[in-house]
Amino acid sequence: MERREEALERLDGVTRERFLRDIYPRRKPVVLTGLELGTCTTKWTIDYLSQAEGSKEVKIHVSAVPQMDFLSKNFVYRTLPFDAFVRRAAEVKHKEYFLTEDEKYYLRSVGEDVRKDIADIRKQFPVLAEDVHIPEYFEKEQFFSSVFRISSAGLQLWTHYDVMDNFLIQVTGRKRVVLYSPRDAPYLYLSGTKSEVLDVDNPDMEKYPLFVKAKRYECVLEAGDVLFIPALWFHNVISEEFGVALNVFWKHLPAECYDKTDTYGNKDPMAASRAIQILDRALKTLEELPEEYRDFYARRMVLRIQEKAYRNDYG
């Protein structure tokens, strides 16, 4: 079976009105180009970044291999002064290193207290925040977080979904992003919000035979491009160059739907979490029956879920 692929649509100069009227309701990813993002796209050189925020310490991911895996945790957390981190992340070979001379670095900004505070570039990186104009294609009260990211060239992040809509703003450098529809979740071998399939280009088909059924959407983000990623869309990101990006997340659902303890924006909505817990209890109850009965009633449960909850108009 051949892999199904589709390049993402690229639209230039989309206004807030057009985005909300024509693009947002479709709930599909799209690359927005030509938006006014501020002076960051020209100012954020390695020298400027290093000087702007100085030597305050940041917690970073360090990986000896390009493909980072959050399930097996094949990376370590380390702390560096921000200016030293930027220079190291921009290098290919390192004179100073933690694991290997060609290790990869990744910064995902967090709040001051990761258990209570969300990432907000205005609070964690106030000097750099002055250079950024975020496209506010949502209401101010919907804003959740603005996550500042820096990646080494060649770094690949695991495939995962987020529960909020977001813009991935590529400020400098180039990224390749591969996405999969929420409808293709059955083919992605999920563990929580993450896919076990790390290498989306050359997957182990013996281990993941259904993966070929997942339709692949792909785009390359150049400096200044903005990718709209709707909630629940899976995405896998490769930094083809050293680069700086900013993710802006906002609440698509009513605020009370989200877990108030969620500072990362990746915990399932409260109703979904409760439903999964109920399902787990139902499956546990089925274990009281012989295998033949378990199989029969489990299939009936699947049919009931399909009948009551599946969409028929999923395009």
Side-chain angles (χ1 to χ4, degrees):
M1 183 185 293
E2 289 187 13
R3 186 170 70 186
R4 297 184 298 150
E5 299 184 43
E6 183 178 320
L8 284 192
E9 190 176 12
R10 297 176 66 89
L11 298 173
D12 188 61
V14 173
T15 63
R16 185 182 196 271
E17 292 70 27
R18 184 186 170 199
F19 177 78
L20 292 175
R21 183 188 68 233
D22 300 333
I23 299 168
Y24 198 48
R26 296 189 322 201
R27 311 298 298 157
K28 287 188 70 173
V30 63
V31 180
L32 307 175
T33 64
L35 300 187
E36 176 50 53
L37 301 176
T39 58
C40 55
T41 52
T42 53
K43 284 177 72 174
W44 285 9
T45 62
I46 295 166
D47 287 339
Y48 176 78
L49 289 168
S50 301
Q51 295 164 9
E53 295 289 351
S55 59
K56 67 180 176 187
E57 291 199 328
V58 289
K59 188 176 182 180
I60 56 173
H61 302 67
V62 183
S63 177
V65 295
Q67 287 178 332
M68 285 178 58
D69 181 2
F70 199 82
L71 294 174
S72 69
K73 296 288 197 299
N74 66 345
F75 54 85
V76 296
Y77 292 105
R78 294 291 183 266
T79 302
L80 278 176
F82 181 73
D83 50 358
F85 158 69
V86 170
R87 296 193 179 281
R88 278 212 213 175
E91 299 170 342
V92 177
K93 296 284 184 183
H94 313 292
K95 291 181 181 176
E96 296 181 76
Y97 52 85
F98 296 106
L99 304 173
T100 65
E101 64 176 7
D102 56 355
E103 64 193 14
K104 305 294 183 185
Y105 298 90
Y106 172 55
L107 167 68
R108 188 260 189 228
S109 67
V110 295
E112 303 308 315
D113 183 339
V114 296
R115 292 166 299 179
K116 297 179 182 178
D117 302 324
I118 54 112
D120 188 339
I121 189 174
R122 295 168 296 187
K123 296 177 181 177
Q124 287 96 44
F125 298 92
V127 177
L128 294 178
E130 292 289 319
D131 302 331
V132 183
H133 174 73
I134 293 173
E136 293 186 354
Y137 289 13
F138 49 89
E139 300 301 324
K140 287 191 184 300
E141 61 269 21
Q142 291 179 283
F143 171 84
F144 176 73
S145 65
S146 50
V147 181
F148 183 65
R149 302 181 190 270
I150 296 181
S151 303
S152 294
L155 183 76
Q156 183 172 14
L157 295 182
W158 53 91
T159 305
H160 68 283
Y161 71 86
D162 300 296
V163 300
M164 295 184 194
D165 294 340
N166 77 91
F167 281 148
L168 173 54
I169 302 169
Q170 189 64 26
V171 181
T172 70
R174 183 191 301 116
K175 275 194 177 80
R176 191 197 72 174
V177 186
V178 176
L179 304 101
Y180 300 95
S181 164
R183 193 179 191 184
D184 283 343
Y187 314 133
L188 298 180
Y189 297 87
L190 299 185
S191 178
T193 63
K194 303 162 188 70
S195 169
E196 294 179 12
V197 186
L198 279 187
D199 191 342
V200 295
D201 297 310
N202 298 289
D204 183 339
M205 296 312 296
E206 286 190 14
K207 195 173 183 181
Y208 309 115
L210 296 178
F211 184 69
V212 72
K213 293 186 176 183
K215 184 174 181 179
R216 172 191 180 110
Y217 297 80
E218 186 171 328
C219 68
V220 173
L221 299 180
E222 305 285 352
D225 288 348
V226 177
L227 173 61
F228 168 52
I229 307 177
L232 309 183
W233 274 77
F234 296 86
H235 44 287
N236 180 288
V237 181
I238 296 178
S239 296
E240 296 189 343
E241 302 172 340
F242 165 80
V244 184
L246 183 68
N247 263 125
V248 181
F249 292 86
W250 67 91
K251 296 176 181 177
H252 171 59
L253 305 176
E256 61 269 19
C257 293
Y258 299 100
D259 188 329
K260 289 181 172 56
T261 67
D262 184 10
T263 57
Y264 283 85
N266 60 7
K267 288 187 178 180
D268 290 315
M270 300 288 284
S273 295
R274 290 197 305 271
I276 290 170
Q277 290 170 3
I278 292 167
L279 175 61
D280 287 340
R281 289 199 296 272
L283 293 171
K284 185 73 175 174
T285 304
L286 283 185
E287 291 178 8
E288 299 173 14
L289 295 169
E291 182 180 27
E292 181 182 359
Y293 284 76
R294 281 203 311 270
D295 178 89
F296 174 70
Y297 286 104
R299 291 176 189 274
R300 280 193 60 185
M301 288 166 65
V302 170
L303 289 172
R304 191 168 180 82
I305 290 171
Q306 288 177 334
E307 176 190 346
K308 295 291 185 181
Y310 275 31
R311 286 176 57 179
N312 295 321
D313 61 341
Y314 222 143

